[in-house]
Amino acid sequence: MGDKIFDVCNIIFMIILVILTLYPFLNMFALSFNDANDSIRGSVYIWPREWTLRNFEYVFSESNVFYATFISAARTIIGTIVSVFCTAMLAYTISRPEYALKKFVAITFIFTMYFSGGLIPSYLLTKELGLLNNFWVYIIPGIIGVFNMIVIRSFIEGLPEGIMESAKIDGAGDFTTFTRIVLPLTVPALATVSLFVAVSQWNSWFDVFLYNSSRPDLSTLQYELMKVLSTSSATTSSGGSAADAFANAQGNVTMVTPTSVRATMTIVASVPIIMVYPFLQKYFVKGMVVGGVKG
């Protein structure tokens, strides 16, 4: 009887948790596909009352949205590949017992997890490196992730040492061993770290604001979403009607509202990275468990 009561309570709790987790996203979905004039009436929760694509037409009519989507995709793909590969090389290096400085290098990198120079020194360093108003400012500063390095290193240390020794006996160098032996065996850890890096790259907007705000051609989708949210908040708090601010100038008919545009931009910015997760899910649990617990 106790087990049955526990199962029932557990099921009820998980259902409530799923509802609380999905409701904000479903609400954004409903508002993005619902007619803006109808949304002003309220009572649109998880399903559109009057279906329309007008909100998406308005969002994609903005010329910068398409290019911002391209920049977001480019920085996510390039940043993930470069960061994961370089982080894996560092993890392999400090996992080798014959490397005399592995403890010093590991401690040096771990130190940066807890202490940093701050925003101003980071900005000045980026400026001196010539990365201001440059696409590579999205890639180079975050090329090594210390936490990701620890996960990959723990995974590599759990691999059989005999495999690496056999490769060396056959004449393989360190780079050959790394690319042909270690990388294929660490796919679960690499997939897990890739998901972390990809989500971070896709959702990042503050570096755009800080380093590339004067370059609209280097804007990202998340930065455009941030500007939409800021504009909507400013319009609402200025005392004017939010609907009037987005009214059609010719017919004086509200085509879209800040709420509908905000919901639509949220859906546009969220769906692509959400679609990536199912392809990496099978590696996620294995990568975290094996990478986090040695042996």
Side-chain angles (χ1 to χ4, degrees):
M1 181 60 66
D3 292 339
K4 293 182 180 179
I5 295 176
F6 174 80
D7 291 340
V8 171
C9 294
N10 191 33
I11 292 173
I12 294 175
F13 173 77
M14 295 304 297
I15 291 175
I16 295 175
L17 183 62
V18 169
I19 293 174
L20 293 177
T21 303
L22 290 180
Y23 175 75
F25 185 80
L26 293 177
N27 182 246
M28 291 291 103
F29 173 85
L31 291 174
S32 65
F33 282 98
N34 196 72
D35 183 78
N37 292 319
D38 181 72
S39 298
I40 297 175
R41 295 163 46 198
S43 301
V44 178
Y45 300 114
I46 62 175
W47 194 256
R49 187 165 48 218
E50 294 187 12
W51 286 82
T52 183
L53 294 177
R54 186 178 300 165
N55 298 323
F56 288 90
E57 293 174 358
Y58 175 83
V59 168
F60 285 106
S61 66
E62 299 292 325
S63 59
N64 203 36
V65 171
F66 278 110
Y67 200 79
T69 304
F70 171 76
I71 295 296
S72 292
R75 70 171 294 180
T76 299
I77 296 173
I78 298 174
T80 300
I81 294 174
V82 173
S83 177
V84 171
F85 185 78
C86 293
T87 303
M89 281 200 298
L90 174 63
Y92 172 74
T93 301
I94 63 176
S95 69
R96 304 311 303 146
E98 62 269 19
Y99 181 46
L101 298 177
K102 70 172 189 175
K103 289 186 178 180
F104 173 77
V105 174
I107 293 174
T108 302
F109 274 94
I110 293 174
F111 181 83
T112 62
M113 293 181 63
Y114 303 99
F115 303 97
S116 65
L119 183 60
I120 295 178
S122 299
Y123 180 85
L124 295 177
L125 176 60
T126 302
K127 182 178 180 181
E128 291 298 322
L129 293 175
L131 294 176
L132 289 183
N133 299 320
N134 194 315
F135 173 80
W136 292 104
V137 75
Y138 302 145
I139 310 299
I140 295 177
I143 201 169
I144 297 295
V146 180
F147 175 78
N148 299 333
M149 181 268 293
I150 295 174
V151 172
I152 299 176
R153 184 192 66 176
S154 300
F155 197 103
I156 294 175
E157 289 177 345
L159 297 177
E161 185 63 26
I163 298 177
M164 268 75 84
E165 293 179 355
S166 299
K168 290 185 177 181
I169 292 174
D170 292 337
D174 286 326
F175 189 75
T176 303
T177 303
F178 170 71
T179 55
R180 297 193 177 186
I181 304 297
V182 175
L183 283 184
L185 293 176
T186 56
V187 168
L190 296 180
T192 302
V193 170
S194 297
L195 181 62
F196 292 158
V197 177
V199 171
S200 177
Q201 285 281 8
W202 181 265
N203 290 334
S204 182
W205 66 266
F206 188 68
D207 51 359
V208 186
F209 169 75
L210 198 61
Y211 304 120
N212 288 335
S213 56
S214 61
R215 291 282 304 273
D217 58 317
L218 293 178
S219 179
T220 63
L221 194 58
Q222 297 296 338
Y223 185 62
E224 295 299 318
L225 174 60
M226 187 277 297
K227 291 195 295 185
V228 169
L229 295 176
S230 300
T231 303
S232 301
S233 300
T235 302
T236 304
S237 61
S238 63
S241 171
D244 293 341
F246 286 76
N248 185 293
Q250 296 179 352
N252 197 29
V253 177
T254 303
M255 304 294 289
V256 293
T257 63
T259 301
S260 63
V261 173
R262 182 168 62 245
T264 305
M265 282 293 296
T266 301
I267 294 298
V268 171
S270 302
V271 168
I273 197 65
I274 291 176
M275 294 175 63
V276 174
Y277 180 77
F279 297 98
L280 300 178
Q281 184 180 11
K282 61 181 180 180
Y283 299 109
F284 189 80
V285 174
K286 182 180 179 181
M288 286 302 297
V289 172
V290 180
V293 181
K294 183 179 179 182

